[in-house]
């Protein structure tokens, strides 16, 4: 069974906002895209850049190291120099809290 961890409350991350958290020893970036919360591994597939430190443009995160873009909805790599998708994680909201599973 999937295990969900509480990472933040919904009012900590406004629309367009992001937060770096740790889930089960993994760095995870949480995004609020128009009120929907999404979670991805905070590791760029090009060279390990910290994605939560990049700019969020719509539903795309720009890696702060060399500028690769990823969809935070699908994890897809949208521009060079990254080719491989980033890992996306399941999110659920319970009683105003954001919970993430990294199973
Ligand atoms: S580490 Fe992210 S683009 Fe190079």
């Amino acid at each position: 069974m999937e295990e969900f961890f509480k990472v933040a409350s919904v009012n900590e991350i406004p629309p367009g906002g992001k937060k770096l958290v740790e889930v089960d020893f993994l760095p995870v970036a949480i995004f609020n895209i128009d009120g929907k919360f999404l979670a991805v591994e905070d590791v760029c597939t090009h060279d390990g850049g910290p994605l939560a430190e990049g700019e969020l443009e719509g539903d795309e995160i720009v890696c702060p190291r060399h500028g690769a873009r990823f969809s935070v909805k699908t994890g897809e790599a949208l521009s060079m120099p990254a080719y491989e998708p980033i890992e996306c994680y399941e999110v659920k909201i319970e009683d105003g809290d954001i919970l993430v599973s990294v199973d």
Side-chain angles (χ1 to χ4, degrees):
M1 200 174 105
E2 274 181 311
E3 191 175 3
F4 282 84
F5 295 86
K6 178 186 165 183
V7 294
S9 68
V10 293
N11 49 26
E12 276 176 68
I13 311 174
K18 53 189 162 63
K19 183 178 182 185
L20 175 64
V21 300
E22 196 178 279
V23 183
D24 212 11
F25 305 107
L26 287 174
V28 174
I30 310 290
F31 300 98
N32 180 339
I33 309 289
D34 298 328
K36 183 169 168 56
F37 293 92
L38 299 160
V40 303
E41 189 174 10
D42 187 48
V43 179
C44 177
T45 55
H46 173 238
D47 194 25
L51 295 174
E53 291 177 21
E55 289 295 315
L56 181 63
E57 296 178 4
D59 58 6
E60 297 177 10
I61 187 73
V62 183
C63 178
R65 275 205 194 146
H66 313 106
R69 286 174 173 268
F70 297 91
S71 165
V72 298
K73 286 186 173 164
T74 65
E76 186 184 356
L78 301 171
S79 74
M80 298 228 288
Y83 298 98
E84 297 294 320
I86 50 173
E87 194 78 39
C88 295
Y89 299 122
E90 203 173 329
V91 175
K92 65 182 184 182
I93 306 299
E94 260 177 27
D95 299 329
D97 291 324
I98 303 167
L99 291 87
V100 174
S101 167
V102 294
D103 287 345

